[in-house]
Amino acid sequence: MAAEMGVELAADARGGAVNACSSSWDLVVIGGGPAGSAAAITAARHGIRTLIVDRADHPRPKVCGCCLSPLALDRLRALGAASVTALGNVVHTVRVDCCGSVTDWQRSGVALSRAALDAALLRAAAEAGARVITGVVAQASPGGEVMLRSGNEARQLNARLVIAADGIGGSSVRSSDRLRWRTLPRARIGFGALLPHDAIDLRAGELLMCVRDGGYIGVVSLGDGSVDVAAATAPEAVRSVGGPAALAARWLAPWVRDGNSIVTSAWSGTPRLTRRRAAATDDRIIVAGDAFGYVEPFTGEGIGWALASGIAAADHAQRVLRGGAAVRAWERTARRMSAWPHARCASMALLVRAPRVLAAVLRAGQYAPMVAARMGRAWGVQRTLSMDGGVAR
């Protein structure tokens, strides 16, 4: 799979690629995830001379953002990258397990490995005309200078504009005080792993979401046969049981088939999740996707938001570069775009912090269709299928 999914992109970062790279660009995009790739594809299609840089070699393993919502699928079609979804699994049901109450929700979507998705989007960026370099660390200054580093190589580039789309863990714009992070004191951390296909009891087409005291954990089967597990939790919940594997085993206990695979799998973690930039622009820099603002990803809308944000950032960039807009005008656009998805995710994050209240709400949905419908809309799902084994219509 490696050769097929994009090793040629990683190879571009070796053998002197940093020093061989042109020193002047209209646009440099930092970050090769969905937001960055969407920005690079869109900008290149506008005829903008674009470089996209990512610190990881691709294909890369990544456990978050494996569920593609209808919004994400629509944006992939717009970018000409929808064919990659054939490598995923169709998801038609979300099963929520909360304090003994199990509810099924109907939902359309696709579960796809991030290795496949990210590599396909980077390839689409290259095919659109952007220069793609992976395995290289980039840092930008507000004046448009971008420093690239890879091993012993280092080179400074100049960009008329920079789009920073390197996610919540990125450090590409740390030189800008204006773009500093604001992290909520009670923000949770994320952790996840890829498990063998038979580790968890999952039905075909199902996304399992378990809500527990201290957080929640989601499980879905990917197109390559592996099972993706991703969670958001209070840091103390992880520490209290000795690590993410032990916590995942405890929270998923009713659904675990092979407990040993949970213990022996490689688990990764994230910084604190719920955070937002103090601003969205600084001189020649604009930020997009999760690099602008991130909340707990309970609704599974993260990839759709990232793709939409990247496309909009590139559209704004081309107007700036052609004299039709000011850089700072992105502030209003970014905040307007993020207002609804972030508010919805934040409201759901508050609710799942009280799992017994959530369980009561889920039970109420069995007898009050309007309650069920409102919950479904909040989670981006269509309708309730069952509640504790019964049928709620």
Side-chain angles (χ1 to χ4, degrees):
M1 182 178 104
E4 177 186 350
M5 292 313 300
V7 159
E8 71 278 4
L9 299 176
D12 190 36
R14 303 192 191 97
V18 169
N19 287 326
C21 182
S22 173
S23 61
S24 181
W25 295 86
D26 291 332
L27 177 67
V28 173
V29 179
I30 302 176
S37 291
I41 293 167
T42 305
R45 289 179 178 174
H46 282 307
I48 296 171
R49 193 161 175 267
T50 302
L51 170 70
I52 178 170
V53 183
D54 192 72
R55 67 185 305 150
D57 286 333
H58 288 259
R60 62 175 176 181
K62 196 173 178 66
V63 296
C64 62
C66 290
C67 289
L68 305 180
S69 67
L71 172 63
L73 297 175
D74 179 72
R75 295 301 182 269
L76 285 174
R77 285 190 290 269
L79 292 166
S83 61
V84 71
T85 61
L87 301 175
N89 287 336
V90 173
V91 175
H92 53 70
T93 305
V94 179
R95 171 164 285 198
V96 181
D97 172 0
C98 181
C99 298
S101 295
V102 180
T103 308
D104 288 350
W105 302 85
Q106 186 182 74
R107 176 172 185 160
S108 60
V110 173
L112 176 68
S113 78
R114 284 292 301 276
L117 176 64
D118 292 354
L121 286 169
L122 283 172
R123 186 183 302 114
E127 291 171 351
R131 174 75 186 274
V132 179
I133 299 181
T134 61
V136 173
V137 176
Q139 291 192 345
S141 68
E145 298 83 12
V146 179
M147 180 63 70
L148 303 184
R149 290 187 174 87
S150 177
N152 295 326
E153 293 183 81
R155 181 145 188 224
Q156 180 175 300
L157 312 180
N158 293 308
R160 295 174 62 195
L161 197 62
V162 174
I163 294 178
D166 51 345
I168 60 171
S171 58
S172 65
V173 293
R174 64 184 180 186
S175 66
S176 169
D177 183 64
R178 179 178 168 82
L179 298 178
R180 66 189 181 280
W181 281 114
R182 292 174 175 169
T183 305
L184 295 185
R186 295 180 63 241
R188 295 182 170 182
I189 61 171
F191 66 86
L194 293 175
L195 307 181
H197 73 279
D198 57 352
I200 306 295
D201 184 14
L202 285 175
R203 299 174 300 184
E206 176 181 83
L207 166 64
L208 173 65
M209 182 69 69
C210 297
V211 182
R212 305 289 188 249
D213 287 325
Y216 46 89
I217 189 165
V219 187
V220 70
S221 294
L222 304 179
D224 61 6
S226 62
V227 172
D228 180 82
V229 180
T233 179
E236 55 270 20
V238 178
R239 292 193 296 265
S240 68
V241 297
L247 189 60
R250 176 176 296 186
W251 284 358
L252 293 171
W255 312 95
V256 172
R257 287 178 175 171
D258 180 7
N260 185 62
S261 67
I262 296 179
V263 175
T264 58
S265 292
W267 292 83
S268 58
T270 71
R272 290 183 178 266
L273 294 173
T274 308
R275 54 175 61 198
R276 195 157 189 167
R277 298 278 184 190
T281 66
D282 189 2
D283 199 0
R284 297 188 188 180
I285 300 174
I286 66 177
V287 291
D290 291 343
F292 170 59
Y294 192 87
V295 296
E296 294 171 29
F298 188 80
T299 63
E301 296 289 335
I303 299 299
W305 147 250
L307 293 171
S309 178
I311 292 169
D315 286 339
H316 183 76
Q318 67 91 15
R319 290 193 293 271
V320 172
L321 293 171
R322 290 169 180 163
V327 173
R328 293 286 176 93
W330 174 246
E331 291 280 351
R332 185 169 63 178
T333 301
R335 296 189 187 282
R336 185 180 67 247
M337 284 189 65
S338 65
W340 167 239
H342 285 183
R344 183 177 67 181
C345 291
S347 65
M348 292 309 304
L350 288 174
L351 184 56
V352 297
R353 276 176 161 79
R356 288 171 179 78
V357 175
L358 176 59
V361 173
L362 293 175
R363 291 190 191 98
Q366 182 176 5
Y367 307 102
M370 290 186 65
V371 173
R374 289 179 66 88
M375 288 291 293
R377 285 194 295 271
W379 283 340
V381 298
Q382 283 73 47
R383 64 187 181 94
T384 310
L385 297 178
S386 65
M387 178 82 66
D388 292 328
V391 177
R393 300 187 186 279

